[in-house]
């Protein structure tokens, strides 16, 4: 028993002695303390590393000497050869003055407009830097410096690169400048280097450029204006037109409001100053902008901005810009206008716009914008006017695409009754009978084109507009992928009378549309900048010609043939163009406004190598030509100008033929238009008639209508008479377009930049592809 008991006890002891001790499970509190402990250690280590990196970076980045080369290097603009000088941006004006010489009003206004916390902040805006860096990295709109200190650092010391590296360096330099320079020193440097527009860097040069006075003499209004224009010097310059004046007025009120809020002006001063902008004396413009060069340089500047280049780069970045213009085509456009313009008609009242576009590429080779740029900044090659019958070319193309043929006939009698009971008339109420599409184009018969449009069905007007858009005429509002100069055609509504031309089209866009016909139906976007190289030799932009087929080659051949008959046909309204001595097609045009007054006269035409449009308008672009000019017909002065321009432009070029007609014959959308030659009625006895000019050198179109009368009525005025213009489903209205060119007495305007982010032309911008 005892032994057994010992054994039992021994076994029990061994069991107790050999028992393994088990770990107590960790609770969530224990684990949290462990994570916090290690997290604190890591944070302290990283903080020490961060502090060390910050100290090292702060000490290693010195405030450099001012980058004088960047500040003064001029951007050069060249003709298409890349060597012949066209102009430059800009002859920069600088004249630094001391802080004490600057009026208090400009100091207060700039702080109120640009950085209201300037006197109390630390010189950097961390949130702004991060926001800008993220935006730039994602390819969004570029964001610039936010505080005055950062802007000063960027302008004076750094390049225009918008990268994370530059933003970080800018932050350190801003902090160092903040620590080593007083606020007064920073503001003085900023006001002596910032760009104010008009080639003026610094407040002293800006005072002279805008107000022809020293900075010390600036008034409150003038100071508030100059502070406001800093936000966008080119766009906010009131000399650039109504839109710019409205924009700077809003910024001006913002600046004055900030000064009132900061109590740097009294309520009484605010109330007096906010009533209007300051008065702007007439400042002698730089002579480099004289003549037509100013119109071209203004277009180039606007296009560079649209391509993403900054004002600083354009004015001081040393860019080398190669344009599409050639000296020969530019000289031809100007001399052609001067040779034909009727004597005694000042260019202050009679405005001529000319543009020559190369088929196949869209390159604008020459233009004439009107008055000397120093006298008026309105560029009529861009502002445009009502298109009149030049728009019928797009209707011919759309009609053939819809299934009609050149042989099909339409009602050419006048008046033509619309479905709603309204009427459309030909010029002089002339009757042409049943006419095929060739004769309708040759004689510019309004009623025949109305009949064709209605016969195309309910979508007829839309199909004509779509064809015009495809051929190079922009829509009524800029497309999502904008093209053209300008990028819109005010009044281009899809109504029954769209082919008669009440919409506003620029000579550049009209010439490009006709270039599509010359290029066998393949359209290319118009462009004016071929290449941009920066001061380091890096290609920042290279245009890539982007084409698309607007119509088949056969349709283009038929449209071309119909337009050739306008020039060569025995009754063609553009027979004066025969003087060119080359195969050519084209279309005359006149347009009327409400009341029947003629507002524009055109001739647009082409050879295989070049397409040119010529437009004559008066006053604000809608003033009366008939009864004022010796002749208001497109077949007279505009056609003669076209011949003079084209002859000089094509000098030295071989004579090339245009294609023969194909007579495309699709499935017509409606019946009753089969070829059925009938004798054309003679003109009514009361109609005024005008002898056909020059002998016929063309073969009769195949097929033809019956023999036309031996005399022709004056060229049709192309737009409906007032009584039918109010028809809701009838022809295009004859009222002035919604947007018209400004009067020459109003603040002149060149083209206003489209919304940011929109570009024309395919190519590469800063390494990123920009399409159409």
């Amino acid at each position: 028993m005892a032994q057994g008991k010992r054994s039992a006890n021994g076994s029990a002891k061994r069991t107790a002695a050999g028992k393994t001790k088990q770990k107590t499970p960790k609770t969530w509190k224990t684990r949290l303390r462990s994570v916090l402990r290690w997290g604190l250690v890591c944070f302290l280590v990283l903080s020490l590393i961060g502090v060390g990196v910050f100290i090292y970076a702060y000490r290693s980045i010195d405030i450099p000497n001012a980058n004088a080369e960047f500040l003064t290097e001029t951007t050069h603009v060249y003709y298409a050869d890349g060597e012949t000088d066209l102009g430059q941006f800009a002859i920069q004006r600088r004249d630094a003055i001391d802080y004490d010489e600057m009026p208090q009003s400009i100091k207060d206004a700039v702080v109120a407009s640009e950085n209201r916390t300037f006197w109390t902040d630390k010189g950097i805006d961390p949130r702004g830097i991060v926001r800008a860096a993220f935006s730039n990295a994602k390819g969004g709109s570029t964001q610039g410096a936010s505080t005055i200190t950062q802007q000063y650092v960027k302008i004076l010391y750094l390049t225009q690169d918008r990268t994370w590296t530059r933003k970080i360096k800018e932050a350190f330099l801003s902090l160092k400048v903040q620590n080593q320079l007083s606020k007064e020193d920073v503001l003085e440097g900023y006001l002596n280097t910032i760009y104010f527009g008009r080639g003026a860097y610094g407040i002293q040069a800006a005072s002279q450029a805008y107000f022809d006075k020293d900075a010390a003499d600036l008034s409150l209004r003038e100071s508030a204006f100059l502070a406001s224009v800093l936000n966008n010097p080119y766009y906010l310059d009131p000399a650039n037109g109504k839109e710019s004046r409205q924009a700077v007025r809003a910024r001006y009120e913002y600046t004055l409001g900030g000064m009132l809020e900061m109590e740097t002006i009294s309520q009484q001063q605010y109330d007096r100053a906010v009533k209007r902008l300051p008065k702007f004396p007439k400042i002698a413009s730089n002579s480099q902008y004289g003549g037509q060069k100013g119109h071209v340089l203004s277009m180039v500047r606007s296009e560079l901005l649209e391509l993403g280049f900054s004002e600083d780069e354009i004015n001081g970045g040393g860019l080398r810009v190669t344009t599409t213009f050639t000296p020969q085509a530019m000289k031809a456009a100007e001399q052609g206008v001067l040779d034909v313009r009727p004597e005694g008609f000042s260019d202050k009242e009679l405005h001529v716009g000319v543009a020559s576009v190369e088929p196949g590429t869209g390159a604008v080779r020459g233009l004439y914008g009107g008055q000397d740029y120093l006298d008026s900044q309105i560029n009529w090659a861009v502002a445009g006017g009502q298109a009149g019958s030049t728009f019928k070319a797009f209707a011919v193309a759309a009609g053939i695409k819809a299934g009609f043929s050149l042989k099909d006939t339409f009602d050419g009698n006048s008046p033509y009754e619309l479905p709603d009971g309204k009427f459309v008339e030909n010029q002089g109420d002339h009757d042409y009978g049943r006419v095929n599409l060739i004769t309708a184009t040759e004689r510019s018969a309004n009623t025949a084109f109305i009949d064709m449009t209605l016969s195309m069905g309910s979508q007829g007007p839309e199909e004509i507009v779509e064809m015009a858009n495809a051929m190079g005429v922009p829509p009524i509002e800029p497309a999502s992928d904008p093209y053209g100069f300008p990028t819109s055609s005010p009044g281009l509504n899809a109504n029954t009378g769209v082919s008669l031309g009440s919409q506003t089209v620029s000579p550049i866009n009209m010439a490009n549309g006709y270039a599509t016909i010359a290029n066998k139906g393949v359209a290319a976007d118009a462009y004016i900048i071929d290449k941009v190289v920066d001061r380091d030799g890096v290609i920042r932009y290279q245009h890539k010609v982007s084409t698309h087929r607007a119509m088949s080659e056969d349709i283009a051949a038929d449209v071309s043939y119909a337009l050739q008959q306008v020039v060569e046909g025995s009754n063609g309204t553009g027979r004066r163009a025969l003087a060119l001595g080359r195969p050519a097609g084209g279309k005359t045009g006149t347009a009327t406004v409400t009341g029947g007054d003629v507002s524009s006269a055109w001739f647009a035409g082409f050879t295989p190598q070049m397409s040119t449009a010529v437009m004559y308008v008066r006053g604000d672009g809608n003033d009366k030509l008939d009864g004022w000019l010796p002749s208001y017909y497109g077949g007279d002065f505009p056609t003669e100008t076209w011949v003079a321009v084209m002859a000089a432009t094509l000098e030295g070029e071989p004579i090339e033929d245009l294609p023969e007609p194909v007579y495309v014959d699709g499935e017509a959308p409606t019946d009753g238009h089969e070829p059925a030659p009938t004798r054309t009625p003679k003109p009514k006895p009361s109609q005024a008639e005008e002898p056909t000019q020059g002998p016929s050198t063309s073969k009769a179109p195949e097929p033809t209508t019956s023999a036309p009368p031996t005399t022709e009525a004056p060229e049709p005025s192309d737009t409906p008479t007032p009584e039918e213009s109010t028809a809701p489903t009838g022809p295009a209205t004859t009222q002035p377009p919604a947007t018209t060119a400004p009067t020459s007495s109003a603040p002149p305007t060149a083209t206003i930049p489209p919304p940011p982010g929109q570009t024309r032309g395919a190519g590469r911008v800063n390494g990123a592809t920009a399409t159409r």
Side-chain angles (χ1 to χ4, degrees):
M1 292 293 293
Q3 185 178 1
K5 186 174 182 179
R6 285 194 302 272
S7 298
N9 291 339
S11 175
K13 289 178 181 179
R14 285 193 301 271
T15 300
K19 186 177 180 180
T20 302
K21 184 178 180 180
Q22 296 181 351
K23 292 182 179 180
T24 304
K26 291 184 178 180
T27 65
W28 67 270
K29 292 183 178 179
T30 304
R31 290 173 179 166
L32 178 60
R33 283 195 296 269
S34 178
V35 170
L36 292 175
R37 182 169 58 252
W38 282 107
L40 179 61
V41 171
C42 291
F43 174 76
L44 291 174
V45 171
L46 291 176
S47 297
L48 290 173
I49 294 174
V51 170
V53 170
F54 179 85
I55 293 173
Y56 173 79
Y58 185 83
R59 289 182 175 179
S60 62
I61 297 177
D62 295 324
I63 297 178
N65 292 326
N67 190 344
E69 181 181 2
F70 170 76
L71 291 174
T72 60
E73 193 163 354
T74 300
T75 289
H76 289 271
V77 181
Y78 299 95
Y79 283 103
D81 61 8
E83 297 178 356
T84 306
D85 188 70
L86 196 160
Q88 56 190 16
F89 304 117
I91 296 177
Q92 299 172 13
R93 298 185 293 277
R94 302 176 185 277
D95 188 4
I97 58 176
D98 294 335
Y99 184 81
D100 293 338
E101 294 181 68
M102 301 174 183
Q104 189 63 39
S105 61
I106 191 62
K107 302 169 190 174
D108 294 337
V110 167
V111 170
S113 179
E114 296 291 295
N115 180 195
R116 295 181 184 179
T117 62
F118 171 72
W119 295 109
T120 57
D121 64 35
K122 298 300 181 182
I124 61 173
D125 176 9
R127 288 182 299 178
I129 293 173
V130 173
R131 181 177 62 251
F134 269 112
S135 176
N136 300 341
K138 291 188 296 183
S141 59
T142 54
Q143 301 287 323
S146 49
T147 71
I148 286 177
T149 304
Q150 286 172 254
Q151 291 182 59
Y152 179 49
V153 168
K154 183 194 75 169
I155 295 165
L156 195 56
Y157 303 121
L158 301 175
T159 68
Q160 297 302 304
D161 296 333
R162 296 177 182 270
T163 62
W164 276 97
T165 303
R166 201 216 74 180
K167 284 291 179 183
I168 293 172
K169 188 175 181 181
E170 178 186 303
F172 278 106
L173 285 176
S174 297
L175 186 59
K176 207 157 193 176
V177 166
Q178 172 70 17
N179 290 336
Q180 295 184 13
L181 300 179
S182 68
K183 288 289 187 179
E184 288 77 7
D185 290 336
V186 171
L187 188 56
E188 176 186 328
Y190 178 75
L191 285 172
N192 274 324
T193 56
I194 189 68
Y195 182 62
F196 285 86
R198 299 191 180 183
Y201 285 79
I203 187 58
Q204 176 65 12
S207 299
Q208 294 289 346
Y210 285 93
F211 302 112
D212 196 23
K213 63 170 63 175
D214 290 334
D217 299 325
L218 288 172
S219 68
L220 172 59
R221 279 197 178 102
E222 291 163 346
S223 293
F225 167 80
L226 290 175
S228 301
V229 83
L230 287 174
N231 187 254
N232 191 328
Y234 180 75
Y235 181 58
L236 295 178
D237 186 342
N240 285 333
K242 182 179 180 180
E243 186 175 341
S244 290
R245 196 174 185 88
Q246 291 174 340
V248 76
R249 177 59 191 262
R251 185 72 183 178
Y252 173 76
E253 293 176 359
Y254 169 82
T255 299
L256 288 171
M259 296 178 77
L260 179 63
E261 177 184 316
M262 297 177 68
E263 299 182 351
T264 53
I265 59 172
S266 66
Q267 183 68 51
Q268 184 179 12
Q269 288 176 304
Y270 171 84
D271 292 340
R272 187 185 307 114
V274 80
K275 291 180 179 178
R276 62 173 177 82
L277 291 172
K279 293 181 179 180
F280 299 94
K282 186 172 182 178
I283 306 293
S285 300
N286 195 307
S287 60
Q288 70 162 330
Y289 283 84
Q292 296 303 304
K293 277 189 177 182
H295 295 299
V296 172
L297 291 174
S298 178
M299 289 182 67
V300 170
R301 175 188 287 276
S302 295
E303 191 67 0
L304 286 171
L305 290 170
E306 285 305 306
L307 292 174
F309 294 92
S310 69
E311 279 280 358
D312 288 337
E313 289 178 295
I314 295 170
N315 290 286
L319 303 175
R320 295 175 61 88
V321 182
T322 301
T323 69
T324 60
F325 302 101
T326 67
Q328 181 174 342
M330 286 295 297
K331 183 178 179 180
E334 181 173 12
Q335 194 60 48
V337 171
L338 297 178
D339 288 346
V340 178
R341 175 194 297 278
E343 293 184 8
F345 290 85
S346 168
D347 60 5
K348 293 182 180 180
E349 185 72 8
L350 176 62
H351 309 300
V352 182
V354 177
S356 295
V357 176
E358 184 177 77
T361 67
V364 182
R365 297 303 187 190
L367 65 79
Y368 182 84
Q371 277 180 272
D372 186 314
Y373 184 82
L374 300 184
D375 296 324
S376 172
Q377 285 76 56
I378 303 173
N379 184 345
W380 291 99
V382 175
Q386 288 183 275
S389 279
T390 53
F391 209 82
K392 287 176 180 172
F394 309 117
V396 174
I400 296 175
K401 183 179 180 181
F404 288 123
S405 165
L406 288 177
K407 303 176 182 180
D408 287 337
T409 60
F410 303 93
D411 187 353
N413 287 323
S414 180
Y416 183 99
E417 185 175 3
L418 297 169
D420 62 358
K422 303 292 184 179
F423 293 88
V424 175
E425 292 183 352
N426 293 324
Q427 170 69 21
D429 199 25
H430 192 91
D431 284 336
Y432 296 107
R434 298 291 302 179
V435 292
N436 61 33
L437 195 50
I438 296 171
T439 302
T441 305
E442 178 185 349
R443 303 299 300 269
S444 201
N446 291 342
T447 58
F449 277 89
I450 293 295
D451 187 27
M452 184 185 73
T453 302
L454 291 171
S455 300
M456 290 169 67
S458 61
Q459 297 303 306
E462 285 81 1
E463 292 172 7
I464 294 173
V465 171
E466 289 171 2
M467 177 59 74
N469 296 159
M471 290 171 67
V473 176
I476 191 170
E477 296 290 343
S480 57
D481 190 5
Y483 58 94
F485 295 89
T487 58
S488 64
S489 302
L492 183 48
N493 297 301
N495 53 34
T496 305
V498 64
S499 66
L500 306 188
S502 66
Q503 62 285 117
T504 297
V505 180
S506 74
I508 292 178
N509 292 336
M510 185 65 75
N512 195 38
Y514 276 58
T516 299
I517 304 169
N519 195 43
K520 302 179 180 180
V522 176
D525 290 344
Y527 72 105
I528 62 171
I529 294 180
D530 183 59
K531 184 169 66 174
V532 181
V533 179
D534 67 19
R535 58 179 179 158
D536 296 321
V538 177
I539 298 176
R540 296 284 299 283
Y541 173 82
Q542 177 71 65
H543 180 80
K544 180 180 179 181
V545 173
S546 175
T547 61
H548 64 276
R549 182 161 289 283
M551 69 188 94
S552 71
E553 185 172 343
D554 287 349
I555 292 177
D558 282 357
V559 176
S560 175
Y561 182 73
L563 295 175
Q564 289 175 64
Q565 303 318 300
V566 174
V567 176
E568 300 176 358
S570 59
N571 292 293
T573 58
R575 283 182 56 77
R576 289 180 186 267
L578 283 171
L580 180 63
R582 295 171 179 262
K587 186 71 188 73
T588 55
T590 55
T592 58
V593 295
T594 301
D597 292 339
V598 175
S599 63
S600 66
W602 288 77
F603 186 80
F606 56 88
T607 67
Q609 301 106 314
M610 193 63 65
S611 175
T612 295
V614 176
M615 177 195 74
Y616 274 57
V617 293
R618 178 188 178 191
D620 66 357
N622 285 293
D623 290 358
K624 182 178 180 179
L625 289 176
D626 48 322
W628 183 69
L629 272 182
S631 171
Y632 64 86
Y633 297 122
D636 292 336
F637 290 119
T639 303
E640 290 179 4
T641 303
W642 181 88
V643 170
V645 172
M646 287 286 279
T649 300
L650 295 173
E651 185 177 356
E653 294 292 326
I655 295 177
E656 296 183 9
D657 291 326
L658 291 168
E660 293 295 322
V662 178
Y663 294 106
V664 175
D665 192 5
E667 184 176 346
T670 54
D671 296 328
H673 300 282
E674 297 77 11
T678 58
R679 182 169 182 79
T680 304
K682 294 181 179 181
K684 299 175 183 178
S686 61
Q687 294 167 349
E689 297 179 355
E690 175 178 284
T692 301
Q693 296 162 346
S696 172
T697 60
S698 66
K699 296 179 293 185
E702 180 187 348
T704 64
T705 60
S706 58
T710 57
T711 59
E712 71 170 307
E715 179 196 345
S717 64
D718 311 330
T719 48
T721 52
E723 56 266 27
E724 76 264 1
S725 65
T726 57
T729 58
T733 70
T734 55
Q735 295 178 351
T739 301
T740 60
T743 63
S744 55
S745 60
T749 178
T751 51
I752 296 298
Q758 296 183 343
T759 60
R760 311 182 193 87
R764 301 191 67 80
V765 184
N766 299 337
T769 300
T771 59
R772 275 208 358 139

